[in-house]
Amino acid sequence: MNENELESMRNSFKTVYNKRKSILNDPQVKNLQEKVIDIRKDSIDNNEKLIETLKESFKKNDIDYAFADNAEEARNIICDVIKSEINEDLKDDTSNYSFNDNNNFNDNDFNDDNSFNDKNSIVVAKSKSNTLGEIAASKFLQSKGINVIETDLGDRILQLKGKDNKPTHPTGPASHLNVEEISKIVSKGLNIDVACDPKAIMEVVKEDILNKVSEADIGLSGANAVACEDGSLVFVHNEGNISLVSLMKTHIIVAGIEKLVRTIEDAISIAKLETIYATGSKVTSYINIVSGPSKTADIEKKLLKNMYGAEKVFVIILDNGRLEAIESITECLYCIGCGSCIVTCPVYNAIGNEFGFNNYLGGRGVAMSKFIQDTETSISSGLYKCTLCGLCKINCPVTISTSDIIENIRAETLKKGLYPEKHGKFKDNIKNKGSPY
């Protein structure tokens, strides 16, 4: 990130911080916070039982599901579902569709190509999701010749940006870009002259998204929470785009096992607290609940499927290192995805999104990267950049002790002889000279 982007990011963070400051001490918010902490602890402590409950609930609700051990499995399941739905539509005639079946996908080597191939009829309408970012779902599908359209405004701006398009906040991915930069990105990306005005930019991007999404039969999203006893998925958004995505013929959802909670009421409580800490508003514009495919019973109370919404809902429950993380850094799985920790993090405000791992930004992302990838990844993500100041815990709605977790992982890496080269020089100097210098 350059200095202009960092300055724009800091201004955006300041706006959020000031907006929410007045409501965080509200007794209702405090009570909600205590409630959500208990919900998250219970959910993680009883994760295995919740998974079994969820299987039964999904079956009752006619929701298809699969479990993925890692990112590769999750990506392949997504692709298989898409292929299956297209084959069903065309009765096994896919001559009008183009799939690239090359399995040599490497996220690190893949270059973004955000152009829209009008000759390719396969279009996926995608909503914002850190979990989908974790498994590089968009890049993978694009490598298969599938058009992926980001429906969230911030994510679509980054998609049009093409290169260096890593998000800077979980709910405000383009927080580091000012209106002048966004105007240039959209003008270039859509080959149209867009005025340097937020409203004008929004209207142009919205029209483009709606035009492209009109060709889509597949919706792809994450979920803010999964209510296991009810077999329901809960989505939080302000733009209304998840409503569009959920109305596609097939709605595919990818959610980490840490998203599981007991009830819809628990899920709504998490959604409300996330909104407060992420945006400074007490409630979001939309909270969608999906408990199965579209249906109606308005004719003689006889159940009919496939009304306005999805004909198929397919949920992928993702592990990808989470079960191991539960055993080692349990608190990290309490996270509700509000991004509050990075808003006040001195390191993140100094260097931006290079401190973190993929879509998991800041110290919590560094910690999780050890289990999603490996120890070396946690070091390259910023393990030794953290100051251990503890501001992340103070500002975390569920009081995750990220700095303590970072310190413990450092101790583990030290035993393995893995640490920055300069730190090694300091250690040798202290040993030989009695001083780090």
Side-chain angles (χ1 to χ4, degrees):
M1 292 178 66
N2 60 44
E3 190 55 42
N4 288 336
E5 291 175 337
L6 286 169
E7 187 60 31
S8 295
M9 182 191 76
R10 293 175 194 131
N11 289 335
S12 297
F13 285 3
K14 186 177 180 180
T15 299
V16 171
Y17 182 82
N18 289 335
K19 188 177 179 183
R20 74 183 189 193
K21 188 165 54 176
S22 61
I23 63 173
L24 290 187
N25 291 321
D26 185 314
Q28 288 185 334
V29 174
K30 289 292 184 183
N31 290 336
L32 178 62
Q33 184 179 5
E34 291 176 8
K35 181 179 180 180
V36 169
I37 290 172
D38 290 339
I39 290 169
R40 296 307 296 131
K41 286 181 178 178
D42 174 72
S43 299
I44 298 303
D45 290 345
N46 296 283
N47 194 260
E48 291 184 11
K49 293 180 181 178
L50 289 176
I51 288 174
E52 294 306 312
T53 301
L54 183 65
K55 291 178 182 178
E56 293 302 316
S57 298
F58 275 169
K59 287 177 183 177
K60 291 177 182 176
N61 292 353
D62 197 24
I63 292 177
D64 296 313
Y65 65 90
F67 289 84
D69 288 334
N70 51 51
E72 182 179 4
E73 281 190 19
R75 290 193 296 259
N76 288 334
I77 292 169
I78 292 171
C79 202
D80 287 344
V81 173
I82 294 173
K83 285 184 180 181
S84 174
E85 292 309 295
I86 291 170
N87 285 341
E88 185 177 323
D89 287 346
L90 298 179
K91 296 181 180 179
D92 297 326
D93 177 13
T94 59
S95 58
N96 292 326
Y97 294 86
S98 174
F99 281 104
N100 174 8
D101 285 320
N102 182 3
N103 292 320
N104 297 321
F105 173 80
N106 188 322
D107 181 31
N108 295 323
D109 295 336
F110 185 75
N111 294 319
D112 287 311
D113 179 8
N114 299 305
S115 59
F116 190 85
N117 181 4
D118 292 323
K119 294 181 181 180
N120 190 331
S121 300
I122 306 170
V123 181
V124 172
K126 176 183 169 293
S127 70
K128 181 166 53 197
S129 166
N130 291 325
T131 310
L132 291 173
E134 171 190 336
I135 66 172
S138 294
K139 293 180 179 180
F140 177 75
L141 293 176
Q142 287 165 356
S143 75
K144 298 292 183 182
I146 298 171
N147 287 316
V148 178
I149 300 302
E150 298 287 353
T151 59
D152 176 84
L153 178 59
D155 277 341
R156 181 58 177 154
I157 290 167
L158 293 182
Q159 188 178 37
L160 292 172
K161 188 173 186 284
K163 297 180 179 179
D164 300 322
N165 60 356
K166 184 178 177 180
T168 51
H169 189 276
T171 65
S175 296
H176 58 300
L177 301 173
N178 60 38
V179 66
E180 289 85 5
E181 291 170 309
I182 293 172
S183 175
K184 292 177 182 177
I185 290 167
V186 174
S187 295
K188 181 179 179 181
L190 299 181
N191 194 27
I192 185 174
D193 188 17
V194 183
C196 188
D197 172 74
K199 176 72 172 175
I201 293 170
M202 183 193 76
E203 292 296 340
V204 167
V205 175
K206 180 173 72 172
E207 182 181 2
D208 171 69
I209 290 172
L210 290 174
N211 283 338
K212 290 179 169 59
V213 165
S214 67
E215 303 174 32
D217 286 327
I218 308 290
L220 179 62
S221 75
N224 292 82
V226 183
C228 297
E229 292 179 6
D230 304 287
S232 302
L233 302 116
V234 175
F235 310 87
V236 179
H237 54 122
N238 278 314
E239 296 180 12
N241 59 310
I242 292 180
S243 299
L244 292 174
V245 170
S246 67
L247 290 174
M248 296 295 150
K249 184 178 179 181
T250 301
H251 184 194
I252 305 170
I253 302 107
V254 182
I257 58 172
E258 82 281 8
K259 298 291 186 181
L260 275 54
V261 298
R262 289 188 183 275
T263 66
I264 288 177
E265 290 80 7
D266 289 343
I268 297 298
S269 294
I270 290 172
K272 288 173 66 177
L273 190 64
E274 178 186 358
T275 300
I276 289 167
Y277 271 81
T279 68
S281 300
K282 281 198 171 183
V283 66
T284 185
S285 294
Y286 298 94
I287 297 178
N288 283 27
I289 299 174
V290 172
S291 302
S294 170
K295 51 186 175 283
T296 181
D298 282 354
I299 302 176
E300 296 184 344
K301 284 300 175 183
K302 293 179 179 178
L303 185 63
L304 301 171
K305 294 183 179 180
N306 309 338
M307 191 59 180
Y308 296 116
E311 295 181 11
K312 171 179 278 192
V313 177
F314 197 107
V315 182
I316 301 167
I317 304 297
L318 178 67
D319 176 3
N320 207 29
R322 287 164 172 79
L323 287 175
E324 185 183 354
I326 287 176
E327 297 298 323
S328 183
I329 54 169
T330 309
E331 279 187 59
C332 259
L333 280 300
Y334 295 168
C335 179
I336 62 174
C338 66
S340 178
C341 54
I342 63 173
V343 168
T344 52
C345 173
V347 177
Y348 198 87
N349 276 268
I351 63 176
N353 57 15
E354 68 177 80
F355 182 47
F357 171 71
N358 285 356
N359 286 52
Y360 298 115
L361 307 167
R364 192 249 176 188
V366 171
M368 284 301 298
S369 70
K370 178 181 187 295
F371 300 92
I372 294 174
Q373 291 281 334
D374 49 39
T375 301
E376 288 78 3
T377 301
S378 70
I379 294 174
S380 63
S381 298
L383 183 66
Y384 284 89
K385 291 175 181 175
C386 178
T387 65
L388 306 178
C389 68
L391 276 173
C392 48
K393 179 179 180 178
I394 293 171
N395 291 280
C396 175
V398 291
T399 63
I400 299 172
S401 301
T402 303
S403 55
D404 292 340
I405 293 168
I406 292 284
E407 191 169 18
N408 291 335
I409 295 176
R410 282 183 183 176
E412 292 177 20
T413 62
L414 186 63
K415 291 176 183 177
K416 296 178 182 178
L418 298 172
Y419 45 78
E421 183 180 348
K422 289 184 178 179
H423 288 207
K425 291 180 179 178
F426 288 150
K427 184 186 76 169
D428 292 339
N429 287 342
I430 291 171
K431 181 178 180 180
N432 296 327
K433 302 177 183 178
S435 166
Y437 307 107

